[in-house]
Amino acid sequence: MDYVKAFCVGGLICVLGQILIDKTKLTSARILVLFVVCGCILGGLGWYQKLVEFAGAGASVPLFGFGNTLARGVMKEIDKAGFLGVVTGGLKASAGGITAAIVSAFVMACIFNPKEK
């Protein structure tokens, strides 16, 4: 049942993104930023964590989840380091995911022959 919940919630997030692409004049980049900001806001309010507990990876993997991770990292680091945590918290919380994305992109670029469009 966990897989079904993850699939449904992740799918709804993707459907929301597709609707925004099809029905608005927003660019993909602006929609991605909108999703991260919404995840930060919902995470900062503590609402997104309830969705993550319900849907697991279906809620934590999409861009909303990245925003939630940033917000939780900042809040945690503010408790430890004070105001400096505003700058360092998000980076510390998301460093592993960002590093994995960069390394994966580099490996794929080495294996395949990427070309500019």
Side-chain angles (χ1 to χ4, degrees):
M1 193 62 181
D2 290 338
Y3 293 121
V4 173
K5 289 191 277 188
F7 177 79
C8 290
V9 171
L12 287 174
I13 292 171
C14 292
V15 166
L16 177 62
Q18 191 63 49
I19 290 170
L20 289 172
I21 289 170
D22 292 343
K23 300 295 182 184
T24 67
K25 293 188 185 233
L26 292 173
T27 63
S28 297
R30 290 185 180 186
I31 293 170
L32 296 175
V33 170
L34 176 69
F35 278 12
V36 172
V37 170
C38 287
C40 281
I41 293 169
L42 294 173
L45 294 172
W47 298 346
Y48 200 77
Q49 190 59 33
K50 293 175 185 167
L51 184 62
V52 170
E53 290 168 5
F54 172 76
S60 64
V61 172
L63 287 168
F64 282 101
F66 179 67
N68 180 44
T69 301
L70 291 174
R72 284 186 309 144
V74 167
M75 291 186 299
K76 183 177 176 183
E77 196 65 22
I78 285 174
D79 291 339
K80 287 183 183 176
F83 186 72
L84 185 61
V86 172
V87 178
T88 61
L91 293 174
K92 284 183 180 180
S94 60
I98 293 171
T99 302
I102 292 170
V103 169
S104 298
F106 177 74
V107 169
M108 291 300 117
C110 289
I111 293 172
F112 301 102
N113 188 14
K115 295 182 175 99
E116 292 185 35
K117 289 185 177 184

